[in-house]
Amino acid sequence: MTTAWIPGPQQLQEAYRQVTGRIAEAATRSGRRPEDVLLVAVTKTASPDQIRLLAEMGHVDFAENRVQQLEKRAPALTEFLSRKKSLGSTSTREVGPLGACAEYVRWHMIGQLHRNKAKSVTQLVKLIHSVDSLRLAEELHALGSRMTEPIQVLIQVNASGELSKGGVVIPAVMHLADQIATMVNLRPRGLMTMAPYSDNPEESRHCFARTAEVFEEIRTARIGGGDFNILSMGMSNDFEVAIQEGANLVRVGRALFGDEEYL
Ligand SMILES: *Cc1c(COP(=O)(O)O)cnc(C)c1O
């Protein structure tokens, strides 16, 4: 290990500019518009200051993989933004990357979710990326009956066959999507996958391509209707390859915030 890289405010702005630039380029190269790919900032290595700064720059989408961190960070950021607003320091300009301060943020849950923690998560996030079993889906469906809107979920796909990785194996994905589509309190929005870590992004391509293939099959079968339209793939080391393979949501942490785990 080399010494940790912990970007300060200037470096975070520069890192953000670089990452969004690379996303835009990858999107354009694969015939899509930059705004067709959503950047979700993964905050597991971020400090509270870094998270606030990104929101002040207009960034809206944040993700956590640990429930405990989510329970601390989501309310803290909401409070920060409402304090800013009440002080009149939020401009009325439209929300946008590097524009005005975000008026609101959306949290995403991307880590493994235990059923006993599901309730708290449903109250804090806009999208759960990590539904990996029928039992978890059923638990969320039960919780959703007490909510005003269906809970939006992605099915996590294990496209590598690596046992240590979470997710549903490829041959079972379509069936789970079909089952979730019958649950009125859930809205299946798409798929999420993680490729095994490698320094070479090309090694992720096969996993992304396989997941994109199942995604298209489910869409062709009209499961989930037009709402099944999110393909969440790609992290700091491989988001460009993921975009080439069809990702329209990338989850980037270390390339923005550095690689020191924040505890
Ligand atoms: C940590 C994490 C990410 C972000 O990974 P980086 O390498 O920091 O970009 C994305 N998705 C999931 C599910 C994660 O746990």
Side-chain angles (χ1 to χ4, degrees), residues 40-45 63-65 109-112 129-130 156 192-194 197 232 234-239 250-259 261:
V40 174
V42 178
T43 57
K44 67 191 185 217
T45 65
E64 260 300 331
N65 68 331
M109 174 62 184
I110 59 174
Q112 196 185 17
H129 292 227
S130 44
Q156 184 175 346
M192 180 272 251
T193 201
M194 265 169 106
Y197 182 82
S232 166
M235 322 205 311
S236 292
N237 58 311
D238 56 16
F239 67 83
V250 294
R251 309 175 310 271
V252 177
R254 288 170 302 130
L256 295 170
F257 301 117
D259 37 28
E261 187 108 355

Side-chain angles (χ1 to χ4, degrees), residues 115 131-141 176 183:
R115 285 182 299 142
V131 172
D132 60 359
S133 71
L134 181 60
R135 284 178 78 194
L136 176 59
E138 283 169 341
E139 177 73 25
L140 292 169
H141 176 55
L176 182 58
M183 300 181 189

Side-chain angles (χ1 to χ4, degrees), residues 33-48:
R33 295 171 306 173
E35 62 268 31
D36 293 337
V37 180
L38 182 71
L39 168 62
V40 174
V42 178
T43 57
K44 67 191 185 217
T45 65
S47 69

Side-chain angles (χ1 to χ4, degrees), residues 85-118:
K85 205 184 260 175
S86 70
L87 290 171
S89 51
T90 300
S91 127
T92 51
R93 278 186 297 151
E94 218 179 298
V95 170
L98 302 173
C101 177
E103 297 264 343
Y104 62 90
V105 292
R106 297 184 290 226
W107 283 91
H108 299 243
M109 174 62 184
I110 59 174
Q112 196 185 17
L113 184 53
H114 295 287
R115 285 182 299 142
N116 61 347
K117 294 279 187 184

